[in-house]
Amino acid sequence: MLFVCRGLIISAVLLSVASHGRAASVWKVTSGAGNVLYLGGSIHALKSTDYPLPSAYNRAFDASDRLVCEVDPKALDESSKGLLKVGEYPKSDSLKNHVDPRTYDYLRRLFKLMDVPETKFARYRPWFLSLMLQEPALNGISETLGVEEFLTRRAQANSKPVLGLESAREHADIFLGLSDRQSEAMLLIMFIPAERGSGSAGNALADAW
């Protein structure tokens, strides 16, 4: 996400922002003309114990004129509906035709443990299954506690404009542009933390953040 203040960026230098001894994924970007923006690493879902956020986030927010998120918050519902539509195969097609047999067998056994019938999960593309399996509610975290959601509420309370870098369509196009192999890899990568005994991919990402 971007916290933008004093106009556009022409040329930039990245500077890490300290947070009273606590590491923070926030950088200050300054142009030769003195224009400034802050670049903040966002996690879309967190736990209540992850709060308060490192103070660098609030300092960057307070110094900025507007907040820019990955997707315009007003378009999130449209984006979710769009992903659901394009994430499903046509009725004449199936996941089994697009992934390695070993991957399919792994998924079949996984979803059986979750009481999800094969006829249901096989309708979806690998990248969409990856998003489904990273659903915050399944991993003990909440989207309402995500960094962007928190800062968006602050922006609304302070009458600061909130914009998006991508439209709902552009967001969906990222996934639509994946080949079968790339889509399958995206799905398999999320299982690596679990195989190593370090929890879900979402929790591993939050820990790294």
Side-chain angles (χ1 to χ4, degrees):
M1 92 189 54
L2 300 174
F3 311 83
V4 184
C5 53
R6 297 200 299 277
L8 300 175
I9 301 305
I10 300 172
S11 61
V13 177
L14 286 178
L15 299 173
S16 62
V17 178
S19 181
H20 301 299
R22 184 180 176 190
S25 301
V26 179
W27 293 265
K28 182 179 181 180
V29 186
T30 306
S31 75
N35 297 310
V36 176
L37 68 74
Y38 295 89
L39 177 64
S42 175
I43 295 289
H44 296 315
L46 289 171
K47 300 176 182 177
S48 59
T49 52
D50 292 315
Y51 282 81
L53 293 178
S55 59
Y57 282 91
N58 288 319
R59 294 205 307 273
F61 177 88
D62 292 338
S64 301
D65 299 325
R66 63 185 69 91
L67 175 68
V68 183
C69 301
E70 179 183 2
V71 180
D72 186 339
K74 297 176 183 176
L76 282 178
D77 287 342
E78 180 187 348
S79 177
S80 298
K81 292 176 183 177
L83 288 177
L84 178 60
K85 184 176 181 179
V86 299
E88 190 171 0
Y89 287 113
K91 291 183 179 180
S92 59
D93 204 356
S94 167
L95 175 68
K96 197 170 188 177
N97 300 325
H98 297 271
V99 297
D100 186 283
R102 293 168 295 181
T103 298
Y104 192 84
D105 184 60
Y106 184 92
L107 292 171
R108 183 180 54 77
R109 289 184 282 117
L110 172 68
F111 281 109
K112 185 177 181 179
L113 292 174
M114 300 171 68
D115 293 323
V116 177
E118 184 174 352
T119 53
K120 188 170 184 178
F121 79 78
R123 294 161 43 196
Y124 297 103
R125 301 177 190 275
W127 62 260
F128 189 78
L129 291 176
S130 174
L131 297 180
M132 290 175 61
L133 291 169
Q134 293 181 71
E135 172 65 28
L138 295 177
N139 297 289
I141 52 182
S142 171
E143 286 185 318
T144 60
L145 295 174
V147 176
E148 287 182 330
E149 178 68 20
F150 171 76
L151 291 174
T152 295
R153 289 197 300 269
R154 279 205 64 195
Q156 292 169 343
N158 288 273
S159 300
K160 289 189 179 184
V162 181
L163 309 172
L165 290 173
E166 302 172 357
S167 66
R169 180 63 192 182
E170 288 170 332
H171 190 59
D173 283 346
I174 294 173
F175 298 103
L176 282 174
L178 296 176
S179 66
D180 281 351
R181 189 170 183 178
Q182 291 170 328
S183 184
E184 182 177 1
M186 177 180 172
L187 174 61
L188 292 176
I189 285 172
M190 68 162 291
F191 293 121
I192 293 175
E195 290 293 331
R196 292 178 176 173
S198 56
S200 70
N203 287 333
L205 184 61
D207 290 342
W209 170 81

